[in-house]
Structure formats: structure tokens, C-alpha cells
């Protein structure tokens, strides 16, 4: 049966996955030359269904594209192509480190490097939405203009929303990443 857009099904949690680029027009921007084709199903969900889950305070965990969507929904700037950002050579290649703001620097003992397979990013050099806080940034070689600016993990200040730019599903359990993410998401210290 078709999903009722006015009353989406009740769920315990929403996983906003990675995937194709966000459609720039969905967050008020003009497509740039390197912007790639968006996924129409994910775009429809983002615009028509996801806001209802947010209003209902349904827990949301967002990965990669999903984290970018949360950032954009709250008015954060999306860089459509970040040319400096180091990318993983394979699915499991942990290619760059994270920088943690003082409030979250304790997490640095749980994780050293992360995978990275994206060219769009949440860019905190332009703005950080009032409702969100940055848990981690991508480290930047030579502390260039993107340091610390590219958001690698965020959380909502009041709602059960947590997002990561990297791919935790590609990490093994030795760096305690999954435990850190679950504890942060559930508010466990």
C-alpha cells in the first residue's frame, strides 16, 4: 500500500543514509559544475517525510549525505565540491583524522582516522546552525582555509539527531567508533 505522506509510519529510529549528492535547489542554492545527479526518492523523503519525523522527535541517525541533509535543513552551508579533502582509496581506507572541539575532545581516544567518500560537505566556515553543534571536524593538512570547517560529526542540541560524514559501517570495532557513536546518540556518557 502507498505511504501516506501526511502520516508516515511510526518507527523507533530513522536512518538517513549516504548516497547521491543533495539537490542544491532543495536548500536554496544553484547547482555548480561538479554537482552530481541527486537521488529523487531520497530528495522526496527529505523534503516531505523527514521534517515530520523531526517534528515528532523521532531519533535520527544520519550518515554522509544524510548528515549533509540535516545540516542544510537547519540552514547550514553546503560546499558542493571541496577540492582539498583527502578521499579513501577503498571502502575501508581510513584516510584522515578528526579534530574535536574542546567539549568533545575526549572522543579522540576512541577514534584516530575515518573513511571518507564524499565531495560535498557541511561547511562551518560560513555558518553553524543555532540548533546544531559540531562534534568533530575533518583535520586539514597545513591548517588551510578549511581547518576546522568541514563537519565530520554533529548533533542537535535538543532533539535526538546525530550525524556523521564518514562511514562507520566501514570501520571495525577496534577503534571503539561504534560504541562512541551509540553512546553519544543515546546521550550516555
Amino acid at each position: 500500500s502507498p505511504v501516506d505522506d501526511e502520516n508516515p509510519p511510526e518507527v523507533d529510529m530513522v536512518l538517513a543514509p549516504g548516497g547521491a549528492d543533495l539537490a542544491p535547489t532543495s536548500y536554496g542554492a544553484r547547482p555548480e559544475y561538479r554537482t552530481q545527479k541527486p537521488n529523487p526518492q531520497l530528495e522526496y523523503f527529505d523534503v516531505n517525510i523527514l521534517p515530520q519525523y523531526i517534528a515528532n522527535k523521532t531519533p535520527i541517525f544520519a550518515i554522509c549525505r544524510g548528515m549533509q541533509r540535516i545540516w542544510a535543513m537547519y540552514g547550514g552551508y553546503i560546499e558542493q565540491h571541496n577540492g582539498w579533502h583527502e578521499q579513501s582509496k577503498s571502502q575501508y581506507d581510513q584516510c584522515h583524522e578528526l579534530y574535536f572541539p574542546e567539549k568533545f575532545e575526549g572522543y579522540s581516544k576512541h577514534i584516530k582516522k575515518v573513511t571518507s567518500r564524499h565531495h560535498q560537505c557541511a561547511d562551518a566556515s560560513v555558518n553553524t546552525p543555532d540548533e546544531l553543534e559540531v562534534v568533530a571536524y575533518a583535520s586539514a593538512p597545513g591548517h588551510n582555509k578549511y581547518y576546522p570547517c568541514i563537519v565530520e560529526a554533529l548533533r542537535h542540541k535538543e532533539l535526538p539527531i546525530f550525524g556523521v560524514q564518514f562511514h562507520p559501517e566501514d570501520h571495525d570495532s577496534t577503534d571503539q567508533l561504534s560504541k562512541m557513536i551509540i553512546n553519544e546518540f543515546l546521550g550516555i556518557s
Side-chain angles (χ1 to χ4, degrees):
S1 67
V3 173
D4 178 2
D5 289 354
E6 301 296 319
N7 299 297
E10 190 173 319
V11 296
D12 293 331
M13 184 182 92
V14 171
L15 175 67
D21 284 359
L22 296 178
T25 55
S26 72
Y27 55 87
R30 183 177 64 205
E32 295 178 3
Y33 175 72
R34 295 183 191 169
T35 302
Q36 298 169 5
K37 186 177 179 180
N39 177 310
Q41 288 83 10
L42 290 176
E43 292 296 320
Y44 184 86
F45 179 84
D46 292 349
V47 172
N48 297 289
I49 311 290
L50 187 57
Q52 294 180 61
Y53 283 121
I54 291 172
N56 292 338
K57 299 181 180 174
T58 303
I60 298 168
F61 186 73
I63 298 172
C64 197
R65 179 202 176 278
M67 190 210 77
Q68 294 168 16
R69 173 56 68 196
I70 296 297
W71 187 260
M73 285 181 76
Y74 285 97
Y77 179 76
I78 299 294
E79 178 68 46
Q80 292 184 48
H81 183 76
N82 61 9
W84 77 269
H85 199 283
E86 188 174 356
Q87 299 294 311
S88 296
K89 293 175 183 58
S90 67
Q91 180 178 358
Y92 304 107
D93 177 34
Q94 296 176 2
C95 65
H96 72 76
E97 295 180 350
L98 297 180
Y99 165 77
F100 294 91
E102 185 177 344
K103 181 177 181 179
F104 300 104
E105 63 188 8
Y107 292 124
S108 64
K109 66 184 175 193
H110 296 291
I111 182 168
K112 300 299 178 206
K113 287 188 171 186
V114 294
T115 59
S116 184
R117 299 191 310 271
H118 65 100
H119 76 109
Q120 287 187 324
C121 67
D123 184 349
S125 70
V126 175
N127 68 333
T128 298
D130 292 338
E131 300 87 350
L132 304 176
E133 60 185 337
V134 177
V135 174
Y137 296 96
S139 62
H143 294 226
N144 63 26
K145 70 176 187 169
Y146 292 107
Y147 181 82
C149 300
I150 295 179
V151 179
E152 286 285 333
L154 62 79
R155 73 176 186 183
H156 195 284
K157 291 178 180 176
E158 297 176 6
L159 299 175
I161 299 172
F162 193 86
V164 294
Q165 179 63 63
F166 52 90
H167 290 268
E169 70 274 17
D170 293 343
H171 290 249
D172 63 29
S173 61
T174 60
D175 63 11
Q176 300 183 19
L177 175 65
S178 296
K179 182 178 179 181
M180 183 272 292
I181 290 171
I182 290 167
N183 288 347
E184 181 63 37
F185 184 54
L186 296 175
I188 300 169
S189 23

PDB file of all heavy atoms in Angstrom, residues 126-154:
ATOM      1  N   VAL A 126      31.242  29.036   6.908  1.00  0.00           N
ATOM      2  CA  VAL A 126      30.231  30.008   6.502  1.00  0.00           C
ATOM      3  C   VAL A 126      29.253  30.255   7.650  1.00  0.00           C
ATOM      4  O   VAL A 126      28.951  31.392   7.987  1.00  0.00           O
ATOM      5  CB  VAL A 126      29.491  29.537   5.229  1.00  0.00           C
ATOM      6  CG1 VAL A 126      28.359  30.491   4.874  1.00  0.00           C
ATOM      7  CG2 VAL A 126      30.475  29.399   4.077  1.00  0.00           C
ATOM      8  N   ASN A 127      28.750  29.179   8.244  1.00  0.00           N
ATOM      9  CA  ASN A 127      27.840  29.306   9.382  1.00  0.00           C
ATOM     10  C   ASN A 127      27.673  27.960  10.062  1.00  0.00           C
ATOM     11  O   ASN A 127      27.958  26.921   9.488  1.00  0.00           O
ATOM     12  CB  ASN A 127      26.474  29.844   8.943  1.00  0.00           C
ATOM     13  CG  ASN A 127      25.697  28.854   8.087  1.00  0.00           C
ATOM     14  OD1 ASN A 127      26.269  28.015   7.397  1.00  0.00           O
ATOM     15  ND2 ASN A 127      24.385  28.943   8.124  1.00  0.00           N
ATOM     16  N   THR A 128      27.210  27.997  11.310  1.00  0.00           N
ATOM     17  CA  THR A 128      26.797  26.811  12.039  1.00  0.00           C
ATOM     18  C   THR A 128      25.393  27.086  12.542  1.00  0.00           C
ATOM     19  O   THR A 128      25.178  28.069  13.257  1.00  0.00           O
ATOM     20  CB  THR A 128      27.729  26.510  13.234  1.00  0.00           C
ATOM     21  OG1 THR A 128      29.049  26.246  12.732  1.00  0.00           O
ATOM     22  CG2 THR A 128      27.250  25.306  14.023  1.00  0.00           C
ATOM     23  N   PRO A 129      24.429  26.263  12.139  1.00  0.00           N
ATOM     24  CA  PRO A 129      23.052  26.492  12.587  1.00  0.00           C
ATOM     25  C   PRO A 129      22.957  26.511  14.117  1.00  0.00           C
ATOM     26  O   PRO A 129      23.619  25.729  14.796  1.00  0.00           O
ATOM     27  CB  PRO A 129      22.294  25.298  12.003  1.00  0.00           C
ATOM     28  CG  PRO A 129      23.106  24.896  10.815  1.00  0.00           C
ATOM     29  CD  PRO A 129      24.527  25.137  11.218  1.00  0.00           C
ATOM     30  N   ASP A 130      22.125  27.409  14.645  1.00  0.00           N
ATOM     31  CA  ASP A 130      21.968  27.548  16.095  1.00  0.00           C
ATOM     32  C   ASP A 130      21.527  26.250  16.763  1.00  0.00           C
ATOM     33  O   ASP A 130      21.899  25.983  17.895  1.00  0.00           O
ATOM     34  CB  ASP A 130      20.951  28.642  16.421  1.00  0.00           C
ATOM     35  CG  ASP A 130      21.447  30.028  16.055  1.00  0.00           C
ATOM     36  OD1 ASP A 130      22.678  30.220  15.938  1.00  0.00           O
ATOM     37  OD2 ASP A 130      20.598  30.926  15.882  1.00  0.00           O
ATOM     38  N   GLU A 131      20.738  25.437  16.071  1.00  0.00           N
ATOM     39  CA  GLU A 131      20.186  24.221  16.661  1.00  0.00           C
ATOM     40  C   GLU A 131      21.186  23.073  16.732  1.00  0.00           C
ATOM     41  O   GLU A 131      20.957  22.094  17.424  1.00  0.00           O
ATOM     42  CB  GLU A 131      18.972  23.731  15.848  1.00  0.00           C
ATOM     43  CG  GLU A 131      17.834  24.710  15.762  1.00  0.00           C
ATOM     44  CD  GLU A 131      17.984  25.702  14.607  1.00  0.00           C
ATOM     45  OE1 GLU A 131      19.053  25.774  13.961  1.00  0.00           O
ATOM     46  OE2 GLU A 131      17.013  26.429  14.351  1.00  0.00           O
ATOM     47  N   LEU A 132      22.287  23.181  15.990  1.00  0.00           N
ATOM     48  CA  LEU A 132      23.246  22.087  15.885  1.00  0.00           C
ATOM     49  C   LEU A 132      24.575  22.445  16.542  1.00  0.00           C
ATOM     50  O   LEU A 132      24.930  23.617  16.635  1.00  0.00           O
ATOM     51  CB  LEU A 132      23.490  21.744  14.411  1.00  0.00           C
ATOM     52  CG  LEU A 132      22.261  21.390  13.580  1.00  0.00           C
ATOM     53  CD1 LEU A 132      22.652  21.175  12.119  1.00  0.00           C
ATOM     54  CD2 LEU A 132      21.549  20.176  14.140  1.00  0.00           C
ATOM     55  N   GLU A 133      25.299  21.407  16.955  1.00  0.00           N
ATOM     56  CA  GLU A 133      26.666  21.624  17.407  1.00  0.00           C
ATOM     57  C   GLU A 133      27.577  20.621  16.732  1.00  0.00           C
ATOM     58  O   GLU A 133      27.191  19.483  16.464  1.00  0.00           O
ATOM     59  CB  GLU A 133      26.792  21.580  18.923  1.00  0.00           C
ATOM     60  CG  GLU A 133      26.389  20.321  19.595  1.00  0.00           C
ATOM     61  CD  GLU A 133      26.440  20.445  21.119  1.00  0.00           C
ATOM     62  OE1 GLU A 133      27.159  21.312  21.656  1.00  0.00           O
ATOM     63  OE2 GLU A 133      25.750  19.664  21.769  1.00  0.00           O
ATOM     64  N   VAL A 134      28.784  21.075  16.440  1.00  0.00           N
ATOM     65  CA  VAL A 134      29.766  20.241  15.765  1.00  0.00           C
ATOM     66  C   VAL A 134      30.496  19.406  16.803  1.00  0.00           C
ATOM     67  O   VAL A 134      31.063  19.934  17.756  1.00  0.00           O
ATOM     68  CB  VAL A 134      30.753  21.094  14.951  1.00  0.00           C
ATOM     69  CG1 VAL A 134      31.822  20.212  14.315  1.00  0.00           C
ATOM     70  CG2 VAL A 134      30.014  21.902  13.889  1.00  0.00           C
ATOM     71  N   VAL A 135      30.464  18.094  16.601  1.00  0.00           N
ATOM     72  CA  VAL A 135      31.156  17.153  17.478  1.00  0.00           C
ATOM     73  C   VAL A 135      32.582  16.932  16.974  1.00  0.00           C
ATOM     74  O   VAL A 135      33.510  16.780  17.758  1.00  0.00           O
ATOM     75  CB  VAL A 135      30.388  15.816  17.551  1.00  0.00           C
ATOM     76  CG1 VAL A 135      31.154  14.769  18.334  1.00  0.00           C
ATOM     77  CG2 VAL A 135      29.000  16.039  18.158  1.00  0.00           C
ATOM     78  N   ALA A 136      32.767  16.909  15.650  1.00  0.00           N
ATOM     79  CA  ALA A 136      34.097  16.703  15.073  1.00  0.00           C
ATOM     80  C   ALA A 136      34.189  17.351  13.701  1.00  0.00           C
ATOM     81  O   ALA A 136      33.202  17.426  12.970  1.00  0.00           O
ATOM     82  CB  ALA A 136      34.405  15.211  14.958  1.00  0.00           C
ATOM     83  N   TYR A 137      35.401  17.794  13.388  1.00  0.00           N
ATOM     84  CA  TYR A 137      35.730  18.346  12.071  1.00  0.00           C
ATOM     85  C   TYR A 137      36.746  17.414  11.402  1.00  0.00           C
ATOM     86  O   TYR A 137      37.452  16.673  12.085  1.00  0.00           O
ATOM     87  CB  TYR A 137      36.401  19.715  12.198  1.00  0.00           C
ATOM     88  CG  TYR A 137      35.560  20.799  12.793  1.00  0.00           C
ATOM     89  CD1 TYR A 137      35.642  21.101  14.148  1.00  0.00           C
ATOM     90  CD2 TYR A 137      34.703  21.553  11.997  1.00  0.00           C
ATOM     91  CE1 TYR A 137      34.888  22.119  14.697  1.00  0.00           C
ATOM     92  CE2 TYR A 137      33.945  22.577  12.544  1.00  0.00           C
ATOM     93  CZ  TYR A 137      34.038  22.862  13.888  1.00  0.00           C
ATOM     94  OH  TYR A 137      33.289  23.868  14.437  1.00  0.00           O
ATOM     95  N   ALA A 138      36.868  17.527  10.096  1.00  0.00           N
ATOM     96  CA  ALA A 138      37.957  16.848   9.394  1.00  0.00           C
ATOM     97  C   ALA A 138      39.241  17.592   9.700  1.00  0.00           C
ATOM     98  O   ALA A 138      39.257  18.822   9.733  1.00  0.00           O
ATOM     99  CB  ALA A 138      37.703  16.852   7.889  1.00  0.00           C
ATOM    100  N   SER A 139      40.306  16.845   9.950  1.00  0.00           N
ATOM    101  CA  SER A 139      41.595  17.505  10.112  1.00  0.00           C
ATOM    102  C   SER A 139      42.031  17.995   8.730  1.00  0.00           C
ATOM    103  O   SER A 139      41.573  17.493   7.711  1.00  0.00           O
ATOM    104  CB  SER A 139      42.628  16.540  10.691  1.00  0.00           C
ATOM    105  OG  SER A 139      42.821  15.465   9.800  1.00  0.00           O
ATOM    106  N   ALA A 140      42.878  18.984   8.723  1.00  0.00           N
ATOM    107  CA  ALA A 140      43.317  19.543   7.441  1.00  0.00           C
ATOM    108  C   ALA A 140      44.824  19.675   7.433  1.00  0.00           C
ATOM    109  O   ALA A 140      45.397  20.267   8.345  1.00  0.00           O
ATOM    110  CB  ALA A 140      42.681  20.901   7.212  1.00  0.00           C
ATOM    111  N   PRO A 141      45.462  19.118   6.391  1.00  0.00           N
ATOM    112  CA  PRO A 141      46.915  19.252   6.305  1.00  0.00           C
ATOM    113  C   PRO A 141      47.302  20.721   6.176  1.00  0.00           C
ATOM    114  O   PRO A 141      46.713  21.452   5.413  1.00  0.00           O
ATOM    115  CB  PRO A 141      47.287  18.466   5.053  1.00  0.00           C
ATOM    116  CG  PRO A 141      46.018  18.012   4.426  1.00  0.00           C
ATOM    117  CD  PRO A 141      44.880  18.414   5.293  1.00  0.00           C
ATOM    118  N   GLY A 142      48.267  21.155   6.963  1.00  0.00           N
ATOM    119  CA  GLY A 142      48.757  22.521   6.856  1.00  0.00           C
ATOM    120  C   GLY A 142      47.786  23.572   7.360  1.00  0.00           C
ATOM    121  O   GLY A 142      47.983  24.751   7.144  1.00  0.00           O
ATOM    122  N   HIS A 143      46.722  23.143   8.013  1.00  0.00           N
ATOM    123  CA  HIS A 143      45.730  24.081   8.550  1.00  0.00           C
ATOM    124  C   HIS A 143      45.313  25.105   7.498  1.00  0.00           C
ATOM    125  O   HIS A 143      45.395  26.304   7.702  1.00  0.00           O
ATOM    126  CB  HIS A 143      46.263  24.773   9.807  1.00  0.00           C
ATOM    127  CG  HIS A 143      46.448  23.819  10.936  1.00  0.00           C
ATOM    128  ND1 HIS A 143      46.033  24.083  12.206  1.00  0.00           N
ATOM    129  CD2 HIS A 143      46.983  22.584  11.000  1.00  0.00           C
ATOM    130  CE1 HIS A 143      46.316  23.065  13.003  1.00  0.00           C
ATOM    131  NE2 HIS A 143      46.896  22.146  12.280  1.00  0.00           N
ATOM    132  N   ASN A 144      44.871  24.621   6.351  1.00  0.00           N
ATOM    133  CA  ASN A 144      44.436  25.504   5.280  1.00  0.00           C
ATOM    134  C   ASN A 144      43.102  26.176   5.616  1.00  0.00           C
ATOM    135  O   ASN A 144      42.610  26.071   6.731  1.00  0.00           O
ATOM    136  CB  ASN A 144      44.363  24.728   3.955  1.00  0.00           C
ATOM    137  CG  ASN A 144      43.334  23.616   3.981  1.00  0.00           C
ATOM    138  OD1 ASN A 144      42.352  23.669   4.726  1.00  0.00           O
ATOM    139  ND2 ASN A 144      43.552  22.599   3.179  1.00  0.00           N
ATOM    140  N   LYS A 145      42.477  26.825   4.646  1.00  0.00           N
ATOM    141  CA  LYS A 145      41.255  27.591   4.923  1.00  0.00           C
ATOM    142  C   LYS A 145      40.099  26.721   5.385  1.00  0.00           C
ATOM    143  O   LYS A 145      39.123  27.226   5.911  1.00  0.00           O
ATOM    144  CB  LYS A 145      40.843  28.399   3.696  1.00  0.00           C
ATOM    145  CG  LYS A 145      40.316  27.562   2.541  1.00  0.00           C
ATOM    146  CD  LYS A 145      39.847  28.453   1.410  1.00  0.00           C
ATOM    147  CE  LYS A 145      39.177  27.630   0.337  1.00  0.00           C
ATOM    148  NZ  LYS A 145      38.487  28.448  -0.628  1.00  0.00           N
ATOM    149  N   TYR A 146      40.187  25.427   5.194  1.00  0.00           N
ATOM    150  CA  TYR A 146      39.107  24.536   5.607  1.00  0.00           C
ATOM    151  C   TYR A 146      39.300  23.973   7.016  1.00  0.00           C
ATOM    152  O   TYR A 146      38.615  23.058   7.410  1.00  0.00           O
ATOM    153  CB  TYR A 146      38.959  23.371   4.624  1.00  0.00           C
ATOM    154  CG  TYR A 146      38.468  23.825   3.275  1.00  0.00           C
ATOM    155  CD1 TYR A 146      39.316  23.869   2.193  1.00  0.00           C
ATOM    156  CD2 TYR A 146      37.147  24.211   3.097  1.00  0.00           C
ATOM    157  CE1 TYR A 146      38.873  24.284   0.955  1.00  0.00           C
ATOM    158  CE2 TYR A 146      36.690  24.633   1.867  1.00  0.00           C
ATOM    159  CZ  TYR A 146      37.561  24.672   0.802  1.00  0.00           C
ATOM    160  OH  TYR A 146      37.107  25.082  -0.413  1.00  0.00           O
ATOM    161  N   TYR A 147      40.244  24.515   7.776  1.00  0.00           N
ATOM    162  CA  TYR A 147      40.520  23.958   9.103  1.00  0.00           C
ATOM    163  C   TYR A 147      40.157  24.954  10.179  1.00  0.00           C
ATOM    164  O   TYR A 147      40.636  26.075  10.133  1.00  0.00           O
ATOM    165  CB  TYR A 147      41.997  23.608   9.215  1.00  0.00           C
ATOM    166  CG  TYR A 147      42.359  23.007  10.535  1.00  0.00           C
ATOM    167  CD1 TYR A 147      42.146  21.662  10.766  1.00  0.00           C
ATOM    168  CD2 TYR A 147      42.891  23.780  11.553  1.00  0.00           C
ATOM    169  CE1 TYR A 147      42.481  21.096  11.992  1.00  0.00           C
ATOM    170  CE2 TYR A 147      43.222  23.225  12.768  1.00  0.00           C
ATOM    171  CZ  TYR A 147      43.018  21.881  12.979  1.00  0.00           C
ATOM    172  OH  TYR A 147      43.344  21.328  14.181  1.00  0.00           O
ATOM    173  N   PRO A 148      39.420  24.609  11.208  1.00  0.00           N
ATOM    174  CA  PRO A 148      38.485  23.492  11.198  1.00  0.00           C
ATOM    175  C   PRO A 148      37.139  23.960  10.655  1.00  0.00           C
ATOM    176  O   PRO A 148      36.522  24.852  11.224  1.00  0.00           O
ATOM    177  CB  PRO A 148      38.377  23.131  12.684  1.00  0.00           C
ATOM    178  CG  PRO A 148      38.568  24.433  13.394  1.00  0.00           C
ATOM    179  CD  PRO A 148      39.466  25.261  12.504  1.00  0.00           C
ATOM    180  N   CYS A 149      36.721  23.424   9.580  1.00  0.00           N
ATOM    181  CA  CYS A 149      35.484  23.868   8.944  1.00  0.00           C
ATOM    182  C   CYS A 149      34.611  22.730   8.439  1.00  0.00           C
ATOM    183  O   CYS A 149      33.396  22.824   8.493  1.00  0.00           O
ATOM    184  CB  CYS A 149      35.785  24.782   7.770  1.00  0.00           C
ATOM    185  SG  CYS A 149      36.689  26.249   8.237  1.00  0.00           S
ATOM    186  N   ILE A 150      35.208  21.681   7.893  1.00  0.00           N
ATOM    187  CA  ILE A 150      34.420  20.605   7.307  1.00  0.00           C
ATOM    188  C   ILE A 150      33.917  19.690   8.418  1.00  0.00           C
ATOM    189  O   ILE A 150      34.693  19.071   9.136  1.00  0.00           O
ATOM    190  CB  ILE A 150      35.226  19.837   6.248  1.00  0.00           C
ATOM    191  CG1 ILE A 150      35.526  20.788   5.095  1.00  0.00           C
ATOM    192  CG2 ILE A 150      34.456  18.607   5.780  1.00  0.00           C
ATOM    193  CD1 ILE A 150      36.338  20.188   3.986  1.00  0.00           C
ATOM    194  N   VAL A 151      32.612  19.649   8.568  1.00  0.00           N
ATOM    195  CA  VAL A 151      31.972  18.940   9.666  1.00  0.00           C
ATOM    196  C   VAL A 151      32.006  17.442   9.404  1.00  0.00           C
ATOM    197  O   VAL A 151      31.586  16.971   8.345  1.00  0.00           O
ATOM    198  CB  VAL A 151      30.509  19.423   9.841  1.00  0.00           C
ATOM    199  CG1 VAL A 151      29.827  18.674  10.971  1.00  0.00           C
ATOM    200  CG2 VAL A 151      30.477  20.932  10.075  1.00  0.00           C
ATOM    201  N   GLU A 152      32.504  16.681  10.380  1.00  0.00           N
ATOM    202  CA  GLU A 152      32.537  15.221  10.286  1.00  0.00           C
ATOM    203  C   GLU A 152      31.538  14.561  11.223  1.00  0.00           C
ATOM    204  O   GLU A 152      31.194  13.407  11.026  1.00  0.00           O
ATOM    205  CB  GLU A 152      33.945  14.699  10.580  1.00  0.00           C
ATOM    206  CG  GLU A 152      34.925  14.935   9.456  1.00  0.00           C
ATOM    207  CD  GLU A 152      34.740  14.002   8.268  1.00  0.00           C
ATOM    208  OE1 GLU A 152      34.238  12.869   8.424  1.00  0.00           O
ATOM    209  OE2 GLU A 152      35.116  14.417   7.162  1.00  0.00           O
ATOM    210  N   ALA A 153      31.094  15.265  12.247  1.00  0.00           N
ATOM    211  CA  ALA A 153      30.063  14.728  13.142  1.00  0.00           C
ATOM    212  C   ALA A 153      29.325  15.906  13.768  1.00  0.00           C
ATOM    213  O   ALA A 153      29.920  16.935  14.084  1.00  0.00           O
ATOM    214  CB  ALA A 153      30.679  13.845  14.232  1.00  0.00           C
ATOM    215  N   LEU A 154      28.011  15.735  13.916  1.00  0.00           N
ATOM    216  CA  LEU A 154      27.193  16.787  14.514  1.00  0.00           C
ATOM    217  C   LEU A 154      26.101  16.166  15.353  1.00  0.00           C
ATOM    218  O   LEU A 154      25.807  14.975  15.242  1.00  0.00           O
ATOM    219  CB  LEU A 154      26.583  17.693  13.438  1.00  0.00           C
ATOM    220  CG  LEU A 154      25.622  17.075  12.413  1.00  0.00           C
ATOM    221  CD1 LEU A 154      24.218  16.855  12.957  1.00  0.00           C
ATOM    222  CD2 LEU A 154      25.551  17.966  11.198  1.00  0.00           C
TER     223      LEU A 154
END
